[in-house]
Amino acid sequence: MEAPTHAKILRMNDSSQNFPWFNVDGEVASLMARLDWSANAIGPPATWSQQLNTVVGLVLQSRSPAAVVWGHELSTLYNDAYAVQLGDKHPASLGTSFSAIWSEIWPEIEPVIDAAMAGKSLYFEDIPYMVEPTGVPTQRWYTSSFSPVKDSSCTVVGVYITAVETTKRMQVERRYAFQADLTERVRHLNSSDDIVAAASELLGRHLGIGGVAYAAVDESEEILTMKPDWASGGSQSLAGAVLRLDDFGPLVGDAVRAGKDLAIADITTDERSAAHAAAYAERSIRSFVSIPLLKDGRLRAILNLHDSAPHYWTTHEIALAKDMVDRTWSAVENSRAQSELRRERDQSRHVFDNMTEGFGLVDKDWTVVYMNPAGLRITRRAAEEVIGRNHWQVWPELAGTVVGDLFEQVIRTRKPGVVEAPHTMPDMERRWIESRVYPSLDGGLAFFFRDITERKAAQEKLEAADRRKDEFLAMLAHELRNPLAPISAAAQLLQVVKLDEERVRQTSQVIGRQVQHMTSLVDDLLDVSRVTRGLIELDNEPLDIRNIVSDAVEQVTPLIRSRRHHFALHLPPETTMVAGDKKRLVQVVTNILNNAAKYTQEGGNIVLKVEVHAGHVVIDVTDNGIGMSRELADRAFDLFAQAERSSDRSSGGLGLGLALVRSLVDLHRGKVTCESAGLGKGSRFTVCLPRLPQEHGRTGHGNSDTATKQAGHSLRILVVDDNVDAASLLAMLLEIAGHDVQVEHGAHRALDLARKTAPQVCLLDIGLPEMDGNELAQHLRAQPETARSVLIAVTGYGQDQDRRQTRAAGFDHHLVKPVDIEKLMSLLSEVGEHR
């Protein structure tokens, strides 16, 4: 049958025919209006029947690809959208026989046209055809309908055709399907040769080509060793062959070594291979694709697709081949690694089975066709309760839930989804399940699911901890602002009112108390930070537990008395030794007693009891205070827990004491617990510490109280601090104590002044601009005027590493801001006496 040509069809009529459908917008309608139809089998438009006019109007106005085939000659008219699918065949196809337009697939189309002309309506979805819209055979998919058109006597005179191309979607789906098949096919294979052979066969059958061969490349990138391959009936197997890459043409070899994909439709006509056609013919290869695999810049392997006939390789086929190369190489490398672990894996298979998530398949009728052992375990059902049964009968409780809605949505829209939701198990236990649902190729569903109850619980704990942290930060801001108000008021009072000595003393005491309170807050924060980061070094020595408890009681007694509590203390009569840091152990007992005193209503009862056992000592503190819930008692030693216990902030503090208690007890290899019968029923805190053997019977060193020494000698003192107010106030206190004080705010000016005045003592801030205090100290030590001066660091940094740095810089002492004035005066008194 003769194919359409431009010369045959495109004879133009100078005067546009007066036909209504030719006024429709579009290229094809405009072209139809200008064509000379007199020589065409369909005849001039003036002679067209009412039925033909109607169907042509439907075609031209349709936005979807549409055509009409008319009469025994099958003359074809179509719209712009259909013209796009015709490619280079348009516009010559206009008015031409449908059989000539699609001559390359006419054997497949003819029965369909015959059936439609016989009066049968037909519909086909995603049908592949090998068409040639650009002159090159290309596989495309179409969803088409064929509807008979009848004249007034009910005789079929034509066929109305719609044809929507679905190639892109089908290629994507086929690619995904191939990838899934490939993954499943090689998943259980152990040998690299088995993996290559299986993947080659799967790709060859999927593409319908002559053969697929996988070649390993040697270090020289010249010798190919062919792995097990796949070949159809008309092609030759290359498995086991050893070949030279350049035997197939230097252009081919150079391209592959450079990592370039190579596709040749016909080796006899392509200049890259024509000169070496004999080498290809010897192996029954007429067309081929080579996909090189480069790793670390070196050619490692080549995947070859070949056919014994000319083949125009599509981008879809090449993409599938490249994907196979990557996946196969990964699978081969995995198999090598897994082979070394196979014995251990086999021995531990039941462990891996427990670790895998659940997987199930449901067909389009909602029948469960598969569920893996992990899935049966998670759902707590036997296989016979699930497999072969309707999904909604197995899990009727899912209907109307977010999980059930997701299943129905995915089967309706064919788009995957994920959901997390609680689920009640057959034993009525409530568990959180994550479900991931995907459409399957047969119209059903594939779904993965796993138990995430523990993850949800951990997430809730993190969220609760985050809330407590926010509450703590708000509480910290509140606690830090509280002392600022009286300090600010006292400062303003000193500025604007002339006060007598007594009022000045009272105002000073207010400022001192509030500064001490703020210092205590900061010390708590620093203590917790240092302990939790492992920066605390304990000064371990044998200690009598009675001395520890007595010192702690002494510190808390003023608070207990102020709240009129009844306090009972029970100590063992004999010396009982523990190993530890006295300061820190006193801090532990003090914090627990403080906690009891603060959270017990005035006039309450507090009992501290020490019990001695063979290997440990127990310190037990019981009160009849406000108590706490079981949930809060479990978290009493967590950071930020106090915000929940005392939301009205009536007790003050940051709530870090118990967190510090646990950390310090842990450092002493002990254990601390908290119990409460509930709100309003008091609390009990118990500390258990390892006991030293009896031979360590000597009491550890107690506190050596040193009386505050007053400055008995006047010293030349240099104060260096860039904070003008801090430096001025410190200088004022030192001058009142009888010392000769000079102040400087910059390091370089301080050095000059020190050379002139040779101060006996230098109080240096560490955080100075230009040159920090450590560097300034080194310069002072280096110049003769101050080489023997006493250097005292005054800084806000008080950690062990900070003290080591100042010691290394030449400082004699390290004081933390705000400076303890009594301690400073004692140091200066000692310096004065020595001088």
PDB file of all heavy atoms in Angstrom, residues 4 9 20 22 31 48 73 155 215 247 271 294 314-315 326 335 341 421 433 441 518 544 563 575 589 594 636 716 761:
ATOM      1  N   PRO A   4       1.821   7.892   2.280  1.00  0.00           N
ATOM      2  CA  PRO A   4       1.447   9.275   1.943  1.00  0.00           C
ATOM      3  C   PRO A   4       2.659  10.099   1.572  1.00  0.00           C
ATOM      4  O   PRO A   4       3.733   9.928   2.105  1.00  0.00           O
ATOM      5  CB  PRO A   4       0.813   9.773   3.236  1.00  0.00           C
ATOM      6  CG  PRO A   4       1.409   8.928   4.313  1.00  0.00           C
ATOM      7  CD  PRO A   4       1.621   7.589   3.700  1.00  0.00           C
ATOM      8  N   ILE A   9      -0.793  15.015  -1.604  1.00  0.00           N
ATOM      9  CA  ILE A   9      -1.873  15.574  -0.807  1.00  0.00           C
ATOM     10  C   ILE A   9      -1.942  17.085  -0.837  1.00  0.00           C
ATOM     11  O   ILE A   9      -3.020  17.685  -0.948  1.00  0.00           O
ATOM     12  CB  ILE A   9      -1.734  15.097   0.646  1.00  0.00           C
ATOM     13  CG1 ILE A   9      -1.847  13.579   0.708  1.00  0.00           C
ATOM     14  CG2 ILE A   9      -2.790  15.734   1.544  1.00  0.00           C
ATOM     15  CD1 ILE A   9      -3.172  13.060   0.222  1.00  0.00           C
ATOM     16  N   PRO A  20     -17.709  25.450   7.853  1.00  0.00           N
ATOM     17  CA  PRO A  20     -17.628  25.970   9.231  1.00  0.00           C
ATOM     18  C   PRO A  20     -16.491  25.390  10.064  1.00  0.00           C
ATOM     19  O   PRO A  20     -15.878  26.089  10.853  1.00  0.00           O
ATOM     20  CB  PRO A  20     -18.990  25.629   9.844  1.00  0.00           C
ATOM     21  CG  PRO A  20     -19.542  24.533   8.985  1.00  0.00           C
ATOM     22  CD  PRO A  20     -19.035  24.810   7.601  1.00  0.00           C
ATOM     23  N   PHE A  22     -13.599  24.535   9.278  1.00  0.00           N
ATOM     24  CA  PHE A  22     -12.277  25.032   8.923  1.00  0.00           C
ATOM     25  C   PHE A  22     -11.957  26.353   9.630  1.00  0.00           C
ATOM     26  O   PHE A  22     -10.845  26.829   9.597  1.00  0.00           O
ATOM     27  CB  PHE A  22     -12.158  25.229   7.405  1.00  0.00           C
ATOM     28  CG  PHE A  22     -12.330  23.922   6.635  1.00  0.00           C
ATOM     29  CD1 PHE A  22     -12.743  23.924   5.323  1.00  0.00           C
ATOM     30  CD2 PHE A  22     -12.061  22.720   7.265  1.00  0.00           C
ATOM     31  CE1 PHE A  22     -12.884  22.731   4.629  1.00  0.00           C
ATOM     32  CE2 PHE A  22     -12.193  21.524   6.561  1.00  0.00           C
ATOM     33  CZ  PHE A  22     -12.619  21.525   5.242  1.00  0.00           C
ATOM     34  N   LEU A  31      -5.020  24.111   7.675  1.00  0.00           N
ATOM     35  CA  LEU A  31      -4.508  23.348   6.530  1.00  0.00           C
ATOM     36  C   LEU A  31      -5.646  22.703   5.740  1.00  0.00           C
ATOM     37  O   LEU A  31      -5.654  22.725   4.499  1.00  0.00           O
ATOM     38  CB  LEU A  31      -3.530  22.277   7.035  1.00  0.00           C
ATOM     39  CG  LEU A  31      -2.827  21.442   5.973  1.00  0.00           C
ATOM     40  CD1 LEU A  31      -1.977  22.308   5.054  1.00  0.00           C
ATOM     41  CD2 LEU A  31      -1.955  20.387   6.653  1.00  0.00           C
ATOM     42  N   TRP A  48     -19.667  16.438   1.702  1.00  0.00           N
ATOM     43  CA  TRP A  48     -19.598  15.608   2.900  1.00  0.00           C
ATOM     44  C   TRP A  48     -20.980  15.437   3.526  1.00  0.00           C
ATOM     45  O   TRP A  48     -21.789  16.354   3.563  1.00  0.00           O
ATOM     46  CB  TRP A  48     -18.670  16.229   3.934  1.00  0.00           C
ATOM     47  CG  TRP A  48     -17.206  16.192   3.504  1.00  0.00           C
ATOM     48  CD1 TRP A  48     -16.699  15.689   2.346  1.00  0.00           C
ATOM     49  CD2 TRP A  48     -16.114  16.727   4.240  1.00  0.00           C
ATOM     50  NE1 TRP A  48     -15.354  15.836   2.296  1.00  0.00           N
ATOM     51  CE2 TRP A  48     -14.946  16.479   3.461  1.00  0.00           C
ATOM     52  CE3 TRP A  48     -15.970  17.380   5.465  1.00  0.00           C
ATOM     53  CZ2 TRP A  48     -13.677  16.863   3.879  1.00  0.00           C
ATOM     54  CZ3 TRP A  48     -14.710  17.741   5.867  1.00  0.00           C
ATOM     55  CH2 TRP A  48     -13.560  17.483   5.088  1.00  0.00           C
ATOM     56  N   GLU A  73     -11.871   3.493   1.781  1.00  0.00           N
ATOM     57  CA  GLU A  73     -10.459   3.831   1.565  1.00  0.00           C
ATOM     58  C   GLU A  73      -9.769   4.213   2.879  1.00  0.00           C
ATOM     59  O   GLU A  73      -8.560   4.455   2.898  1.00  0.00           O
ATOM     60  CB  GLU A  73     -10.339   5.001   0.581  1.00  0.00           C
ATOM     61  CG  GLU A  73     -10.749   4.674  -0.837  1.00  0.00           C
ATOM     62  CD  GLU A  73     -12.279   4.676  -0.991  1.00  0.00           C
ATOM     63  OE1 GLU A  73     -12.953   5.063   0.010  1.00  0.00           O
ATOM     64  OE2 GLU A  73     -12.790   4.277  -2.035  1.00  0.00           O
ATOM     65  N   THR A 155     -25.682   2.327   8.756  1.00  0.00           N
ATOM     66  CA  THR A 155     -24.531   1.620   8.185  1.00  0.00           C
ATOM     67  C   THR A 155     -23.261   2.280   8.673  1.00  0.00           C
ATOM     68  O   THR A 155     -23.132   3.504   8.694  1.00  0.00           O
ATOM     69  CB  THR A 155     -24.584   1.678   6.647  1.00  0.00           C
ATOM     70  OG1 THR A 155     -25.807   1.078   6.213  1.00  0.00           O
ATOM     71  CG2 THR A 155     -23.385   0.948   6.032  1.00  0.00           C
ATOM     72  N   ALA A 215      31.339  -8.073  30.936  1.00  0.00           N
ATOM     73  CA  ALA A 215      32.765  -8.338  30.770  1.00  0.00           C
ATOM     74  C   ALA A 215      33.555  -7.685  31.888  1.00  0.00           C
ATOM     75  O   ALA A 215      33.374  -6.497  32.176  1.00  0.00           O
ATOM     76  CB  ALA A 215      33.243  -7.803  29.429  1.00  0.00           C
ATOM     77  N   ASP A 247      39.989  -5.123  19.418  1.00  0.00           N
ATOM     78  CA  ASP A 247      39.578  -5.926  18.264  1.00  0.00           C
ATOM     79  C   ASP A 247      38.259  -5.428  17.688  1.00  0.00           C
ATOM     80  O   ASP A 247      37.918  -5.739  16.538  1.00  0.00           O
ATOM     81  CB  ASP A 247      39.442  -7.401  18.659  1.00  0.00           C
ATOM     82  CG  ASP A 247      40.800  -8.050  18.917  1.00  0.00           C
ATOM     83  OD1 ASP A 247      41.820  -7.454  18.501  1.00  0.00           O
ATOM     84  OD2 ASP A 247      40.833  -9.125  19.535  1.00  0.00           O
ATOM     85  N   GLU A 271      30.614   4.398  11.367  1.00  0.00           N
ATOM     86  CA  GLU A 271      32.039   4.555  11.120  1.00  0.00           C
ATOM     87  C   GLU A 271      32.908   4.075  12.276  1.00  0.00           C
ATOM     88  O   GLU A 271      34.076   3.743  12.106  1.00  0.00           O
ATOM     89  CB  GLU A 271      32.362   6.024  10.841  1.00  0.00           C
ATOM     90  CG  GLU A 271      32.067   6.953  12.007  1.00  0.00           C
ATOM     91  CD  GLU A 271      32.434   8.400  11.726  1.00  0.00           C
ATOM     92  OE1 GLU A 271      32.828   8.702  10.595  1.00  0.00           O
ATOM     93  OE2 GLU A 271      32.320   9.219  12.667  1.00  0.00           O
ATOM     94  N   LEU A 294      33.141   2.617  35.588  1.00  0.00           N
ATOM     95  CA  LEU A 294      34.407   3.130  36.095  1.00  0.00           C
ATOM     96  C   LEU A 294      34.318   3.273  37.609  1.00  0.00           C
ATOM     97  O   LEU A 294      33.334   3.783  38.143  1.00  0.00           O
ATOM     98  CB  LEU A 294      34.740   4.498  35.487  1.00  0.00           C
ATOM     99  CG  LEU A 294      35.494   4.496  34.148  1.00  0.00           C
ATOM    100  CD1 LEU A 294      34.626   3.904  33.046  1.00  0.00           C
ATOM    101  CD2 LEU A 294      35.928   5.907  33.785  1.00  0.00           C
ATOM    102  N   THR A 314      16.919   2.880  22.270  1.00  0.00           N
ATOM    103  CA  THR A 314      16.225   4.043  22.825  1.00  0.00           C
ATOM    104  C   THR A 314      16.893   4.491  24.129  1.00  0.00           C
ATOM    105  O   THR A 314      17.646   3.739  24.764  1.00  0.00           O
ATOM    106  CB  THR A 314      14.753   3.715  23.117  1.00  0.00           C
ATOM    107  OG1 THR A 314      14.689   2.742  24.183  1.00  0.00           O
ATOM    108  CG2 THR A 314      14.071   3.154  21.876  1.00  0.00           C
ATOM    109  N   THR A 315      16.614   5.721  24.491  1.00  0.00           N
ATOM    110  CA  THR A 315      17.158   6.223  25.762  1.00  0.00           C
ATOM    111  C   THR A 315      16.619   5.421  26.941  1.00  0.00           C
ATOM    112  O   THR A 315      17.305   5.252  27.955  1.00  0.00           O
ATOM    113  CB  THR A 315      16.792   7.709  25.942  1.00  0.00           C
ATOM    114  OG1 THR A 315      15.358   7.857  25.842  1.00  0.00           O
ATOM    115  CG2 THR A 315      17.455   8.568  24.883  1.00  0.00           C
ATOM    116  N   ASP A 326      24.861  -0.462  37.641  1.00  0.00           N
ATOM    117  CA  ASP A 326      25.067   0.014  39.010  1.00  0.00           C
ATOM    118  C   ASP A 326      24.562  -0.994  40.032  1.00  0.00           C
ATOM    119  O   ASP A 326      25.244  -1.314  41.009  1.00  0.00           O
ATOM    120  CB  ASP A 326      24.365   1.360  39.212  1.00  0.00           C
ATOM    121  CG  ASP A 326      25.021   2.467  38.393  1.00  0.00           C
ATOM    122  OD1 ASP A 326      26.209   2.327  38.064  1.00  0.00           O
ATOM    123  OD2 ASP A 326      24.335   3.453  38.076  1.00  0.00           O
ATOM    124  N   SER A 335      27.713  -9.427  47.585  1.00  0.00           N
ATOM    125  CA  SER A 335      27.816 -10.891  47.681  1.00  0.00           C
ATOM    126  C   SER A 335      29.191 -11.308  48.163  1.00  0.00           C
ATOM    127  O   SER A 335      29.339 -12.278  48.911  1.00  0.00           O
ATOM    128  CB  SER A 335      27.510 -11.532  46.327  1.00  0.00           C
ATOM    129  OG  SER A 335      28.578 -11.347  45.419  1.00  0.00           O
ATOM    130  N   LEU A 341      30.534 -13.645  55.633  1.00  0.00           N
ATOM    131  CA  LEU A 341      29.715 -13.664  56.842  1.00  0.00           C
ATOM    132  C   LEU A 341      28.581 -14.683  56.777  1.00  0.00           C
ATOM    133  O   LEU A 341      27.715 -14.694  57.652  1.00  0.00           O
ATOM    134  CB  LEU A 341      29.114 -12.262  57.063  1.00  0.00           C
ATOM    135  CG  LEU A 341      30.123 -11.122  57.224  1.00  0.00           C
ATOM    136  CD1 LEU A 341      29.384  -9.797  57.241  1.00  0.00           C
ATOM    137  CD2 LEU A 341      30.943 -11.292  58.477  1.00  0.00           C
ATOM    138  N   ALA A 421       0.265   5.439  63.628  1.00  0.00           N
ATOM    139  CA  ALA A 421      -0.987   5.451  64.396  1.00  0.00           C
ATOM    140  C   ALA A 421      -0.945   4.356  65.458  1.00  0.00           C
ATOM    141  O   ALA A 421      -0.278   3.336  65.283  1.00  0.00           O
ATOM    142  CB  ALA A 421      -2.191   5.240  63.466  1.00  0.00           C
ATOM    143  N   ILE A 433       2.221   1.754  65.464  1.00  0.00           N
ATOM    144  CA  ILE A 433       2.688   1.079  64.254  1.00  0.00           C
ATOM    145  C   ILE A 433       2.891   2.120  63.152  1.00  0.00           C
ATOM    146  O   ILE A 433       2.033   2.976  62.929  1.00  0.00           O
ATOM    147  CB  ILE A 433       1.680   0.010  63.768  1.00  0.00           C
ATOM    148  CG1 ILE A 433       1.415  -1.015  64.877  1.00  0.00           C
ATOM    149  CG2 ILE A 433       2.189  -0.671  62.506  1.00  0.00           C
ATOM    150  CD1 ILE A 433       2.610  -1.855  65.256  1.00  0.00           C
ATOM    151  N   LEU A 441       1.645  -3.628  41.059  1.00  0.00           N
ATOM    152  CA  LEU A 441       1.364  -3.614  39.625  1.00  0.00           C
ATOM    153  C   LEU A 441       0.044  -4.284  39.270  1.00  0.00           C
ATOM    154  O   LEU A 441      -0.520  -4.011  38.216  1.00  0.00           O
ATOM    155  CB  LEU A 441       2.515  -4.304  38.878  1.00  0.00           C
ATOM    156  CG  LEU A 441       3.871  -3.576  38.938  1.00  0.00           C
ATOM    157  CD1 LEU A 441       4.931  -4.380  38.226  1.00  0.00           C
ATOM    158  CD2 LEU A 441       3.758  -2.189  38.337  1.00  0.00           C
ATOM    159  N   MET A 518      22.891  35.543  93.992  1.00  0.00           N
ATOM    160  CA  MET A 518      23.177  35.351  92.566  1.00  0.00           C
ATOM    161  C   MET A 518      24.411  34.475  92.384  1.00  0.00           C
ATOM    162  O   MET A 518      24.469  33.615  91.497  1.00  0.00           O
ATOM    163  CB  MET A 518      23.388  36.704  91.872  1.00  0.00           C
ATOM    164  CG  MET A 518      22.134  37.556  91.774  1.00  0.00           C
ATOM    165  SD  MET A 518      22.403  39.063  90.821  1.00  0.00           S
ATOM    166  CE  MET A 518      22.571  38.382  89.175  1.00  0.00           C
ATOM    167  N   ASP A 544      34.983  10.069 108.194  1.00  0.00           N
ATOM    168  CA  ASP A 544      33.979   9.546 109.117  1.00  0.00           C
ATOM    169  C   ASP A 544      32.624  10.089 108.688  1.00  0.00           C
ATOM    170  O   ASP A 544      32.423  11.307 108.614  1.00  0.00           O
ATOM    171  CB  ASP A 544      34.306   9.970 110.545  1.00  0.00           C
ATOM    172  CG  ASP A 544      33.396   9.280 111.564  1.00  0.00           C
ATOM    173  OD1 ASP A 544      32.365   8.718 111.167  1.00  0.00           O
ATOM    174  OD2 ASP A 544      33.735   9.312 112.757  1.00  0.00           O
ATOM    175  N   ARG A 563      11.957  27.713 109.670  1.00  0.00           N
ATOM    176  CA  ARG A 563      10.659  27.132 109.285  1.00  0.00           C
ATOM    177  C   ARG A 563      10.034  26.317 110.414  1.00  0.00           C
ATOM    178  O   ARG A 563       9.043  25.629 110.212  1.00  0.00           O
ATOM    179  CB  ARG A 563      10.831  26.271 108.029  1.00  0.00           C
ATOM    180  CG  ARG A 563      11.237  27.107 106.811  1.00  0.00           C
ATOM    181  CD  ARG A 563      11.405  26.249 105.572  1.00  0.00           C
ATOM    182  NE  ARG A 563      10.160  25.622 105.138  1.00  0.00           N
ATOM    183  CZ  ARG A 563       9.223  26.206 104.400  1.00  0.00           C
ATOM    184  NH1 ARG A 563       9.376  27.477 104.027  1.00  0.00           N
ATOM    185  NH2 ARG A 563       8.135  25.550 104.047  1.00  0.00           N
ATOM    186  N   THR A 575      32.805   4.949 114.925  1.00  0.00           N
ATOM    187  CA  THR A 575      33.398   5.570 113.742  1.00  0.00           C
ATOM    188  C   THR A 575      33.135   4.689 112.522  1.00  0.00           C
ATOM    189  O   THR A 575      33.389   3.479 112.552  1.00  0.00           O
ATOM    190  CB  THR A 575      34.911   5.746 113.940  1.00  0.00           C
ATOM    191  OG1 THR A 575      35.127   6.620 115.046  1.00  0.00           O
ATOM    192  CG2 THR A 575      35.555   6.310 112.686  1.00  0.00           C
ATOM    193  N   VAL A 589      24.636  15.786 101.229  1.00  0.00           N
ATOM    194  CA  VAL A 589      23.696  15.709 102.358  1.00  0.00           C
ATOM    195  C   VAL A 589      23.004  17.054 102.558  1.00  0.00           C
ATOM    196  O   VAL A 589      21.802  17.119 102.846  1.00  0.00           O
ATOM    197  CB  VAL A 589      24.446  15.264 103.623  1.00  0.00           C
ATOM    198  CG1 VAL A 589      23.471  15.170 104.803  1.00  0.00           C
ATOM    199  CG2 VAL A 589      25.128  13.918 103.400  1.00  0.00           C
ATOM    200  N   ASN A 594      18.264  20.443 102.549  1.00  0.00           N
ATOM    201  CA  ASN A 594      17.646  21.673 102.050  1.00  0.00           C
ATOM    202  C   ASN A 594      16.346  21.373 101.332  1.00  0.00           C
ATOM    203  O   ASN A 594      15.340  22.074 101.484  1.00  0.00           O
ATOM    204  CB  ASN A 594      18.602  22.397 101.102  1.00  0.00           C
ATOM    205  CG  ASN A 594      19.375  23.507 101.795  1.00  0.00           C
ATOM    206  OD1 ASN A 594      18.813  24.237 102.592  1.00  0.00           O
ATOM    207  ND2 ASN A 594      20.658  23.610 101.505  1.00  0.00           N
ATOM    208  N   ALA A 636      12.998  12.646  89.874  1.00  0.00           N
ATOM    209  CA  ALA A 636      13.372  13.688  90.836  1.00  0.00           C
ATOM    210  C   ALA A 636      14.808  14.151  90.656  1.00  0.00           C
ATOM    211  O   ALA A 636      15.137  15.304  90.951  1.00  0.00           O
ATOM    212  CB  ALA A 636      13.174  13.177  92.261  1.00  0.00           C
ATOM    213  N   ARG A 716      51.663  48.206  98.197  1.00  0.00           N
ATOM    214  CA  ARG A 716      51.435  48.887  96.916  1.00  0.00           C
ATOM    215  C   ARG A 716      50.722  47.886  95.994  1.00  0.00           C
ATOM    216  O   ARG A 716      51.279  46.826  95.664  1.00  0.00           O
ATOM    217  CB  ARG A 716      52.754  49.334  96.292  1.00  0.00           C
ATOM    218  CG  ARG A 716      53.450  50.437  97.058  1.00  0.00           C
ATOM    219  CD  ARG A 716      54.618  51.014  96.259  1.00  0.00           C
ATOM    220  NE  ARG A 716      55.526  49.992  95.787  1.00  0.00           N
ATOM    221  CZ  ARG A 716      56.492  49.434  96.565  1.00  0.00           C
ATOM    222  NH1 ARG A 716      56.614  49.803  97.827  1.00  0.00           N
ATOM    223  NH2 ARG A 716      57.299  48.531  96.049  1.00  0.00           N
ATOM    224  N   VAL A 761      51.780  43.845  94.822  1.00  0.00           N
ATOM    225  CA  VAL A 761      50.677  42.928  94.486  1.00  0.00           C
ATOM    226  C   VAL A 761      49.975  43.464  93.243  1.00  0.00           C
ATOM    227  O   VAL A 761      49.725  44.682  93.147  1.00  0.00           O
ATOM    228  CB  VAL A 761      49.658  42.807  95.640  1.00  0.00           C
ATOM    229  CG1 VAL A 761      48.511  41.880  95.221  1.00  0.00           C
ATOM    230  CG2 VAL A 761      50.332  42.292  96.910  1.00  0.00           C
TER     231      VAL A 761
END
